[in-house]
Amino acid sequence: MEEICLEKIIVEKSPPLHGRVRVSGAKNAALPILAASLLGTEDIILEDVPNLKDVEIMCEVLKSLGSEVAYLDANTIKINSKNLNNYETRYELMNKMRASFLVMGPLLTRLGKTRNSLPGGCAIGARPIDLHLKGFRALGAEVVQNEDNVFAYSDRLTGDMVYLDFPSVGATENIMMAATMAQGETIIDNAAMEPEIVDLSNFLNKLGADIRGAGTSTIKIRGVKHLGGAKHSIIPDRIEAGTLMVGAAISKGDVIVENVITSHMKPVSAKLRECGCTVEEGIDSIRVIGNDHLKAIDIKTMPYPGFPTDMQAQFMALMTVLEGTSTVIETVFENRFMHVEELKKMGADIQVEERAATILGKDKLFGAEVKATDLRAGAALVLAGIIAEGTTIIDEIYHIDRGYDRIEEKFRKLGANIYRKEF
Ligand code: UD1
């Protein structure tokens, strides 16, 4: 169970967002890289790690397995896993965050066995782990699964071909990590191509791994005997950057988002241009300028380089006030429209049919009491709150804190009337 937090985020109707803001390191790169730190036997220093609940939980997981974890400053973590001694993760930690399952690949290859509680279903869909396990089996591991947990073991993993039926991000990462110290070569076909996979691969190669092809659909991993230490900076969070960019669009503002890798933002930039925003790319920044006549657009979520499912809710918030009728098709997760009911409370006109949503643009939204049903849904409500008449009170914000490093401070820096309050 998630802990119940009595804090809420209050958003008042705000002026057009204006100014510069720096994006934090990527949650979805930091989590697998923290898990991969279990593989090295020397000091690892990770920089630009975002300050998030999920990162805190992953550090707890690492400590419970025998790693030493110390914060050198708010965004720099030093890890030493020389004395890794535990192959089992505790249910309480596992249950708090699905991504803790990413320790399975590293433990399997480093200690020869791993036992984990099964990550429960989560709000946005069943989220099975069959592809992770398919990969471990292909590398020669025995995998025994019962209702509560999954145990995988192997005296010596051996590289092989693994074809992923769907380019799952987590499965690609877990299999890649397991293969780093397997005997011989592993080839992952139909691998996920997300930038966070490239960051993980770069980090593993710094530790001494031999991985080629990350960022394409075929990743080749030649097993090595030992992984050491490294210093690595986490890539910028493209979803946080995208959320701030939508903030500029929805408020008809003018915002420069700094610390971005502009090529990672292509699907988001393209869709913002399509609805009528001006999007200017700098070397490591993007400027988004909104205006009074933004037009309806259609989006369909896809694995990278398609439009990210993690930006779907925020774009839906924008669509509620675009001129005309927009559509969203969610192909990655089966139940990722929970923000619809919340946006409707604010006056949005949205119809959902299975995995498709139709959004009729309105002139205005109205402040309401809403709840963050998941991480990105929470971000969508912040965006809607910025332009809604009156006051929006967002409850269950622990979801937002799982993935955004002080979201209210970033939006406040751009002039939004947003604050956190204890109730
Ligand atoms: C990661 C991201 C998450 C993002 C998602 C899709 C992290 C920590 N989280 O999650 O923010 O929304 O990618 O971009 O990086 N699937 C299976 N079998 C499996 C694994 C996945 O069927 O073994 C399915 C899932 O049910 C889902 C789809 O594949 O429908 C995508 O999941 P996946 O890419 O694995 O997402 P995560 O790695 O969990």
Side-chain angles (χ1 to χ4, degrees):
M1 282 293 288
E2 292 277 7
E3 72 197 51
I4 305 299
C5 171
L6 295 175
E7 283 183 335
K8 297 184 186 188
I9 285 180
I10 317 287
V11 198
E12 309 280 355
K13 183 174 165 63
S14 305
L17 299 186
H18 194 86
R20 293 172 175 268
V21 61
R22 184 184 186 274
V23 170
S24 299
K27 166 179 95 74
N28 288 352
L31 295 176
I33 286 174
L34 283 164
S37 300
L38 294 168
L39 289 163
T41 52
E42 289 157 44
D43 279 351
I44 287 168
I45 300 203
L46 300 178
E47 296 172 325
D48 235 338
V49 182
N51 222 322
L52 305 172
K53 191 75 193 155
D54 274 8
V55 165
E56 216 178 276
I57 296 170
M58 187 58 99
C59 288
E60 285 306 309
V61 173
L62 298 188
K63 282 192 214 162
S64 75
L65 296 169
S67 301
E68 287 168 30
V69 181
Y71 271 88
L72 301 185
D73 63 45
N75 300 106
T76 309
I77 304 185
K78 182 174 167 186
I79 300 154
N80 189 301
S81 304
K82 192 166 143 222
N83 299 322
L84 188 67
N85 55 15
N86 183 5
Y87 64 92
E88 292 183 279
T89 50
R90 291 207 312 269
Y91 170 79
E92 315 87 75
L93 288 175
M94 212 44 219
N95 197 40
K96 275 190 184 159
M97 180 181 63
R98 197 190 133 81
S100 13
F101 205 72
L102 291 170
V103 300
M104 244 192 132
L107 291 175
L108 179 60
T109 201
R110 176 110 190 257
L111 300 178
K113 55 187 171 181
T114 172
R115 188 195 304 277
N116 293 81
S117 318
L118 284 170
C122 85
I124 61 175
R127 301 187 87 170
I129 50 159
D130 53 314
L131 298 172
H132 302 235
L133 303 184
K134 178 182 180 183
F136 297 154
R137 287 195 177 101
L139 300 184
E142 293 292 331
V143 180
V144 186
Q145 192 179 344
N146 63 29
E147 261 184 23
D148 304 321
N149 58 51
V150 53
F151 179 51
Y153 61 97
S154 160
D155 288 341
R156 188 81 176 100
L157 294 177
T158 309
D160 206 336
M161 299 274 294
V162 184
Y163 172 78
L164 294 182
D165 304 69
F166 181 89
S168 152
V169 174
T172 303
E173 293 167 342
N174 232 340
I175 299 164
M176 198 161 96
M177 292 188 280
T180 52
M181 289 199 279
Q183 206 165 22
E185 188 172 64
T186 300
I187 298 177
I188 309 176
D189 261 326
N190 200 27
M193 301 194 284
E194 269 68 3
E196 293 75 21
I197 306 247
V198 179
D199 204 29
L200 174 64
S201 161
N202 288 341
F203 170 69
L204 288 167
N205 283 342
K206 282 186 193 170
L207 295 184
D210 183 352
I211 304 173
R212 284 161 297 145
T216 75
S217 62
T218 305
I219 303 181
K220 293 185 180 166
I221 306 118
R222 250 193 236 130
V224 297
K225 290 223 160 62
H226 165 259
L227 295 176
K231 192 173 188 182
H232 184 79
S233 286
I234 305 295
I235 55 168
D237 196 311
R238 63 194 165 96
I239 306 302
E240 186 184 271
T243 305
L244 294 162
M245 288 164 72
V246 174
I250 200 170
S251 69
K252 303 167 187 166
D254 180 352
V255 170
I256 298 176
V257 183
E258 297 176 323
N259 189 37
V260 291
I261 298 176
T262 53
S263 59
H264 295 174
M265 304 310 306
K266 274 188 185 153
V268 168
S269 297
K271 284 295 163 184
L272 287 178
R273 285 193 180 110
E274 213 175 293
C275 75
C277 291
T278 303
V279 180
E280 293 169 2
E281 292 181 7
I283 294 168
D284 61 355
S285 65
I286 293 191
R287 179 176 182 185
V288 179
I289 308 169
N291 63 61
D292 281 334
H293 301 289
L294 298 182
K295 300 274 189 303
I297 48 170
D298 301 318
I299 62 169
K300 185 175 182 179
T301 65
M302 301 282 272
Y304 192 84
F307 187 89
T309 175
D310 286 351
M311 281 302 302
Q312 184 255 105
Q314 301 90 314
F315 262 76
M316 197 183 287
L318 172 63
M319 290 165 165
T320 62
V321 289
L322 294 180
E323 255 177 60
T325 303
S326 299
T327 58
V328 171
I329 300 176
E330 172 60 57
T331 76
V332 179
F333 289 108
E334 73 254 37
N335 183 25
R336 207 172 193 179
F337 281 145
M338 284 169 316
H339 40 282
V340 168
E341 285 312 309
E342 305 306 305
L343 289 170
K344 278 181 167 177
K345 289 181 193 161
M346 300 178 72
D349 183 340
I350 307 171
Q351 304 294 324
V352 172
E353 205 167 312
E354 295 186 355
R355 289 189 177 211
T358 308
I359 303 104
L360 179 61
K362 309 274 270 199
D363 290 339
K364 279 182 182 165
L365 293 181
F366 298 92
E369 285 199 31
V370 288
K371 63 172 188 283
T373 48
D374 71 58
L375 165 55
R376 307 303 171 186
L381 297 173
V382 168
L383 291 166
I386 286 171
I387 52 152
E389 299 293 322
T391 307
T392 299
I393 301 173
I394 308 175
D395 201 357
E396 298 188 15
I397 61 169
Y398 53 85
H399 285 296
I400 304 180
D401 293 334
R402 281 189 40 220
Y404 287 91
D405 189 348
R406 291 162 293 127
I407 196 169
E408 74 280 14
E409 285 181 26
K410 288 189 170 115
F411 277 110
R412 212 163 41 227
K413 194 162 185 291
L414 299 174
N417 294 324
I418 175 170
Y419 55 96
R420 193 178 282 256
K421 193 171 168 194
E422 263 186 44
F423 283 81

